[in-house]
Amino acid sequence: MTAQQPLTYDVLVELATADPTVVGLVLKGSRAHEGMSTRHSDHDLYVVIADDVTTGLTRLAGHRTPELDLVIVSLTEFRAAGTPGFERYALARAQIVLDRLDGGIARILADKARLDADEAFRDASGWLDAYANSLYRSVKNHRDGQALAARLDATDSIRFLLELLFALDRRPRPYNKYLEWELDRHPLPGWDTDVLLRAVDRISATGDVSLQRHLFTLVETAAREAGHGGVLDAWGEDLDLMRP
């Protein structure tokens, strides 16, 4: 871009829309989450190029300024982006700026927003075991007078808990920044959002053991209903320490 025409979001969208090799533009991040952008928010944009073509826009790959952060990928690369990976939630809630594939870009994003059944079951089993492990360590450390260790393990358990709850609903876990936004608009089935967030807040801050145990009873019920009883039963008598 020239000094007279800096590469802003609007300029990039105009350039990409005029380029027939571009099959999709996808906005992610704060500006894709209604009410979450601030004066510090940039535009995080995927530019999706048709496979096996060349375009002058590739010269902008890696462009990053306080105004605009570009990721330029082929359609094949875009299909694979974030599955698995930290980027999956960002794409699951991204906004479509341009879709030249008759809804193809929208279908790709929809697929990223929904874990397939086998993937979700496998992930949930792993997160459930990790959650139980950190919860058990927290309660045991509290019992043994290890206050700091108990709180740290409690905080760790919350990370695994959230991964578990979203996996049970076959959804990627949102970044912490968007947790309240996500639950306000897309609550987890069977969970009271306000109650869950208050519990997450208090346990993270204090390691409250009685609350951890109460929360575990709710998680245990949900996990067993989803077919993960074997993961819990493998803990044997140690479950008694986790329950009220």
Side-chain angles (χ1 to χ4, degrees), residues 142-164:
H142 179 268
R143 179 199 64 191
D144 296 341
Q146 300 290 333
L148 175 59
R151 289 197 304 274
L152 292 174
D153 285 324
T155 301
D156 287 345
S157 78
I158 293 301
R159 173 201 164 198
F160 301 131
L161 169 66
L162 292 173
E163 295 279 7
L164 166 63

Side-chain angles (χ1 to χ4, degrees), residues 94-167:
Q95 291 184 5
I96 297 171
V97 180
L98 176 69
D99 186 346
R100 282 201 173 110
L101 300 179
D102 296 324
I105 297 296
R107 287 189 291 274
I108 292 172
L109 294 181
D111 287 343
K112 294 181 187 302
R114 190 75 173 159
L115 281 63
D116 70 44
D118 290 341
E119 176 187 15
F121 189 88
R122 182 181 63 252
D123 289 353
S125 290
W127 294 124
L128 175 60
D129 197 44
Y131 166 63
N133 185 284
S134 288
L135 169 62
Y136 176 74
R137 290 177 181 275
S138 178
V139 174
K140 186 171 66 170
N141 282 325
H142 179 268
R143 179 199 64 191
D144 296 341
Q146 300 290 333
L148 175 59
R151 289 197 304 274
L152 292 174
D153 285 324
T155 301
D156 287 345
S157 78
I158 293 301
R159 173 201 164 198
F160 301 131
L161 169 66
L162 292 173
E163 295 279 7
L164 166 63
L165 296 184
F166 280 95

Side-chain angles (χ1 to χ4, degrees), residues 14-90:
E14 183 178 351
L15 286 172
T17 302
D19 188 331
T21 69
V22 176
V23 296
L25 294 173
V26 175
L27 181 69
K28 63 175 183 133
S30 297
R31 292 190 180 273
H33 288 70
E34 182 182 2
M36 290 297 294
S37 64
T38 72
R39 63 186 180 87
H40 302 292
S41 300
D42 63 358
H43 292 82
D44 291 295
L45 192 69
Y46 269 86
V47 180
V48 186
I49 308 297
D51 290 328
D52 303 319
V53 300
T54 58
T55 171
L57 288 178
T58 55
R59 74 187 188 279
L60 300 175
H63 176 89
R64 187 170 188 178
T65 67
E67 154 75 10
L68 182 62
D69 188 354
L70 289 182
V71 179
I72 299 178
V73 293
S74 69
L75 180 58
T76 296
E77 291 170 330
F78 184 67
R79 290 185 190 278
T83 50
F86 71 91
E87 189 78 344
R88 184 161 188 172
Y89 174 77

Side-chain angles (χ1 to χ4, degrees), residues 177-244:
K177 177 180 180 179
Y178 302 123
L179 177 62
E180 293 177 86
W181 185 98
E182 178 75 16
L183 291 178
D184 181 59
R185 290 158 177 78
H186 309 281
L188 289 165
W191 290 87
D192 183 300
T193 293
D194 290 339
V195 171
L196 176 60
L197 288 176
R198 285 198 299 270
V200 165
D201 186 13
R202 181 165 178 78
I203 290 170
S204 297
T206 69
D208 187 321
V209 169
S210 62
L211 184 55
Q212 287 193 75
R213 284 172 163 154
H214 171 70
L215 187 58
F216 179 72
T217 64
L218 304 179
V219 175
E220 181 174 10
T221 297
R224 290 189 183 280
E225 289 177 352
H228 299 286
V231 174
L232 294 166
D233 292 338
W235 281 86
E237 294 181 356
D238 288 337
L239 286 174
D240 294 336
L241 194 63
M242 306 181 206
R243 293 166 172 155

